[in-house]
Amino acid sequence: MPINIYKQNSTDRIAWLCDDIWDLPNQISELEKWLIENSKNLPKAEYVIDIAFDIRPDATGGGSVISLELMKLMLEKGFELYLSEYPNQINN
């Protein structure tokens, strides 16, 4: 379940992204692309972006950046960001 986007307090799914991608840098990149392409079609509401991720086994620092543009889009449309860690998913 890498990225599940849905209306808060509801089961109404908006999008499902990165089906088999568990590393946070790639997920954040895909999320930003999706929001840039789709946010204009979404009314302001209470939404959740739940990112299920696993820590990269070879990570030694660095990682992803949640850009100012991504934060603005999330704020404008009413998105909350949940980060859900699931260990040992990348190499399974």
Side-chain angles (χ1 to χ4, degrees), residues 17-54:
L17 309 173
C18 300
D19 205 28
D20 292 322
I21 300 171
W22 287 89
D23 67 283
L24 202 52
N26 284 314
Q27 291 173 316
I28 295 296
S29 176
E30 290 302 312
L31 172 62
E32 186 166 16
K33 287 178 198 172
W34 184 88
L35 273 176
I36 289 168
E37 293 173 4
N38 295 282
S39 66
K40 60 185 166 268
N41 299 322
L42 292 172
K44 184 167 177 126
E46 293 180 345
Y47 299 105
V48 171
I49 298 169
D50 187 0
I51 300 178
F53 71 98
D54 188 6

Side-chain angles (χ1 to χ4, degrees), residues 2-14:
I3 301 178
N4 186 13
I5 303 171
Y6 57 93
K7 285 190 175 182
Q8 196 164 23
N9 301 319
S10 170
T11 58
D12 295 341
R13 180 177 290 156
I14 306 300

Side-chain angles (χ1 to χ4, degrees), residues 1 5 9-10 18-20 25-26 34-35 42 45 52 54 66-67 69 77 81-83 86 88 91-92:
M1 136 183 169
I5 303 171
N9 301 319
S10 170
C18 300
D19 205 28
D20 292 322
N26 284 314
W34 184 88
L35 273 176
L42 292 172
D54 188 6
I66 298 175
S67 71
E69 182 175 11
K77 295 298 179 168
L81 179 63
Y82 297 0
L83 299 172
Y86 290 83
N88 304 315
N91 293 323
N92 287 338

Side-chain angles (χ1 to χ4, degrees), residues 66-78:
I66 298 175
S67 71
L68 184 56
E69 182 175 11
L70 178 54
M71 288 189 279
K72 284 180 183 178
L73 287 170
M74 290 170 49
L75 181 61
E76 288 171 2
K77 295 298 179 168

